[in-house]
Amino acid sequence: MNFNLNQSIEILERTPKVYESLLKDSIYDLEKINEGDGTWNGYNIIGHLIHGEKTDWIPRAEIILGNNESKIFEPYDRFAQEELYATQNTNELLIEFKTLRKQNIEKLLSWNLQEFDLQREGIHPDLGIVTLKQLIATWTIHDLAHLNQLSRAIVKYFSEDVGPWKKYTRLLNE
Amino acid sequence: MNFNLNQSIEILERTPKVYESLLKDSIYDLEKINEGDGTWNGYNIIGHLIHGEKTDWIPRAEIILGNNESKIFEPYDRFAQEELYATQNTNELLIEFKTLRKQNIEKLLSWNLQEFDLQREGIHPDLGIVTLKQLIATWTIHDLAHLNQLSRAIVKYFSEDVGPWKKYTRLLNE
């Protein structure tokens, strides 16, 4: 186990900045940055992160920590971004993600969570019993898992351009 | 083909900033961010990027564009970073990477490359004939391929902490 609340908060604070450094004012056409038909493009990824800030991580933590008897989470719509964020440009999406994340970290810090709190449980509609610690750990890696997806999509965008170097690029040989 | 020189330069300018946003002043122990025995950790990755700035991309472009009759590249040592950058801390490595990249982009811009130049060829010791365009495209995706590796390693670092959510995290089920 490697989870540490302060470290998780540090990562959660950083990742909007990482996405911003990669994409802000970009001359990419983010719609073209994808891994083929039916895969997410750059807009979908940021929209999905925004939707998580609004409906997933903190609302679920509030269910775990709150006084309601039912600890069952609302299902999370993994495809909501396709309709919700279709009209915003990259910079608008990045600002919204950063703003929501800042508010959510402030809320998380205001709870002054102790080890006892981190062991409290909620009920995931598909996965069953989960702890607050597992929820925060998942939130933490979620940004990075999608950074992994986005970086892979950009690499693949240039797959034909590298010519013989394709041989050395593992992502282009999967 | 998606290569565009201006876009490549933009990506090459951005990526040191992306690594900095992710790692600067970090409370990570970068040595522990890896994918198991024998895999690269965070230090190895930044060290490898630095070594590429020094010995790979621009020196090879200079062979392609220069007046020497031999167009054969020096082999690139993919493991040099293990000895060369073992004593520097994260912030020192990040600054060195950013500084070298800045100098290399200035050099690239100073050449005022035209489509004709981008078609000029060099000889890779293993891959054979390659063009300058392919070299620059490979340089461009190289940062992102290692960002992909680094983000995957951070996700895996927390693999036990997410509990049942492992099921939804593709990188933890490979």
Side-chain angles (χ1 to χ4, degrees), chain A residues 12-73:
Chain A
L12 288 165
E13 281 173 339
R14 277 164 184 271
T15 38
K17 183 92 182 155
V18 174
Y19 280 86
E20 193 177 82
S21 304
L22 192 60
L23 301 174
K24 191 182 168 192
D25 301 323
S26 176
I27 58 169
Y28 288 115
D29 181 348
L30 273 190
E31 285 194 48
K32 290 188 185 155
I33 303 291
N34 62 51
E35 298 178 72
D37 288 346
T39 67
W40 287 10
N41 64 37
Y43 288 117
N44 299 144
I45 292 172
I46 315 175
H48 171 72
L49 295 174
I50 289 171
H51 195 63
E53 293 305 303
K54 285 185 177 170
T55 69
D56 188 340
W57 314 107
I58 287 289
R60 287 178 169 188
E62 287 174 327
I63 289 172
I64 292 175
L65 296 169
N67 293 322
N68 269 0
E69 204 162 315
S70 171
K71 296 294 171 193
I72 303 173
F73 303 155

Side-chain angles (χ1 to χ4, degrees), chain A residues 71-101:
Chain A
K71 296 294 171 193
I72 303 173
F73 303 155
E74 290 286 318
Y76 173 58
D77 183 352
R78 290 176 53 241
F79 300 98
Q81 64 277 357
E82 289 177 16
E83 292 189 1
L84 287 173
Y85 307 102
T87 60
Q88 287 169 275
N89 67 33
T90 311
N91 284 4
E92 289 167 342
L93 289 171
L94 290 167
I95 289 169
E96 184 166 359
F97 176 40
K98 191 162 89 169
T99 307
L100 289 166
R101 173 60 56 84

Side-chain angles (χ1 to χ4, degrees), chain B residues 154-165:
Chain B
I154 303 174
V155 168
K156 288 184 178 176
Y157 181 73
F158 292 106
S159 61
E160 297 306 314
D161 299 286
V162 301
W165 267 288

Side-chain angles (χ1 to χ4, degrees), chain A residues 14 24 126 152 168 170, chain B residues 14 24 126 152 168:
Chain A
R14 277 164 184 271
K24 191 182 168 192
D126 174 39
R152 188 174 58 236
Y168 290 169
R170 195 172 69 171
Chain B
R14 278 163 184 271
K24 191 181 168 192
D126 173 40
R152 189 173 57 236
Y168 289 168

Side-chain angles (χ1 to χ4, degrees), chain B residues 123-153:
Chain B
I123 298 169
H124 186 285
D126 173 40
L127 301 172
I129 293 176
V130 291
T131 65
L132 180 59
K133 186 187 278 192
Q134 289 165 344
L135 175 72
I136 298 172
T138 306
W139 185 15
T140 306
I141 67 163
H142 184 258
D143 284 354
L144 293 159
H146 286 290
L147 183 65
N148 184 271
Q149 179 186 30
L150 180 65
S151 54
R152 189 173 57 236

Side-chain angles (χ1 to χ4, degrees), chain A residues 1-4 6-8 10-11 14-15 17-18 20-29 35 57 60 73 124 126-127 129-131 133-135 137-138 140-141 144-145 147-149 151-152 154-155 157-158 160-165 167-172, chain B residues 1-4 6-8 10-11 14-15 17-18 20-29 35 57 60 73 124 126-127 129-131 133-135 137-138 140-141 144-145 147-149 151-152 154-155 157-158 160-165 167-172:
Chain A
M1 296 290 184
N2 288 314
F3 180 85
N4 167 305
N6 289 335
Q7 190 178 51
S8 265
E10 186 188 280
I11 297 172
R14 277 164 184 271
T15 38
K17 183 92 182 155
V18 174
E20 193 177 82
S21 304
L22 192 60
L23 301 174
K24 191 182 168 192
D25 301 323
S26 176
I27 58 169
Y28 288 115
D29 181 348
E35 298 178 72
W57 314 107
R60 287 178 169 188
F73 303 155
H124 187 286
D126 174 39
L127 301 172
I129 294 176
V130 291
T131 66
K133 187 187 277 193
Q134 289 165 344
L135 176 72
T138 306
T140 307
I141 66 164
L144 294 159
L147 183 65
N148 184 272
Q149 179 186 30
S151 54
R152 188 174 58 236
I154 303 173
V155 168
Y157 181 73
F158 292 107
E160 297 306 313
D161 299 286
V162 301
W165 267 287
K167 181 181 167 187
Y168 290 169
T169 308
R170 195 172 69 171
L171 293 174
L172 300 180
Chain B
M1 297 289 184
N2 287 313
F3 181 85
N4 167 304
N6 289 335
Q7 189 178 51
S8 266
E10 185 188 281
I11 297 172
R14 278 163 184 271
T15 38
K17 183 91 184 156
V18 174
E20 193 176 82
S21 305
L22 192 59
L23 301 173
K24 191 181 168 192
D25 301 323
S26 177
I27 58 169
Y28 288 115
D29 182 350
E35 297 179 72
W57 315 108
R60 287 178 168 187
F73 302 154
H124 186 285
D126 173 40
L127 301 172
I129 293 176
V130 291
T131 65
K133 186 187 278 192
Q134 289 165 344
L135 175 72
T138 306
T140 306
I141 67 163
L144 293 159
L147 183 65
N148 184 271
Q149 179 186 30
S151 54
R152 189 173 57 236
I154 303 174
V155 168
Y157 181 73
F158 292 106
E160 297 306 314
D161 299 286
V162 301
W165 267 288
K167 180 180 168 188
Y168 289 168
T169 309
R170 196 173 68 172
L171 293 174
L172 300 180

